[in-house]
Amino acid sequence: MRPRTASASPYEAAIGFARAVRVGDRILVSGTAPVEPDGSSTPGDAAAQATRCFAIIAQAIGELGGRIDDVVRTRMYLTDPADAGAVGQVHGRMMGTARPAATMLVVAALLRPEWRVEIEAEAIVESEA
């Protein structure tokens, strides 16, 4: 059995996916939208929403034995290219010294119209020697 974790997203059960899955030393975090613990959307601008996405990602990675510093890859999906700077600043702050490979894309829409950003992450948890 592969260790998995869930979050408050109402889509996990409906669509049939886990927030994150650990396979060996890899933790793969699904596209993470700005969803609050009660299932509502995080209010505010793209920076506030990105901050919430990263909080969910960090929690999922932690539940599977990793840390945010273990992230090696991120993908950020934006609905408005004007939000790139704000989301990029949040990414820089949250990723600290990890400095993962990153991609930022502009998409036509996300599942909820109020979402401005969705973020995926991949982490590799190094075994301690």
Side-chain angles (χ1 to χ4, degrees):
M1 181 92 182
R2 293 180 176 146
R4 293 178 172 84
T5 189
S7 70
S9 172
Y11 297 105
E12 290 173 27
I15 296 173
F17 70 95
R19 170 61 36 223
V21 177
R22 182 166 181 168
V23 179
D25 62 355
R26 295 180 66 205
I27 299 173
L28 306 167
V29 184
S30 297
T32 303
V35 177
E36 293 296 317
D38 66 1
S40 67
S41 297
T42 301
D45 62 10
Q49 291 189 0
T51 299
R52 176 66 183 145
C53 293
F54 278 113
I56 296 166
I57 289 166
Q59 180 176 352
I61 291 171
E63 289 174 4
L64 294 174
R67 301 170 316 156
I68 199 74
D69 288 343
D70 295 324
V71 172
V72 296
R73 177 87 167 125
T74 58
R75 291 175 192 88
M76 296 161 277
Y77 302 91
L78 311 176
T79 58
D80 185 344
D83 291 333
V87 172
Q89 285 182 347
V90 173
H91 184 275
R93 183 174 71 247
M94 299 301 289
M95 290 294 93
T97 59
R99 296 189 58 149
T103 301
M104 189 179 291
L105 303 161
V106 177
V107 297
L110 297 170
L111 285 179
R112 290 188 187 168
E114 66 270 24
W115 291 349
R116 302 177 66 98
V117 61
E118 185 170 329
I119 303 170
E120 296 177 24
E122 297 179 31
I124 297 177
V125 180
E126 300 288 335
S127 59
E128 296 186 28

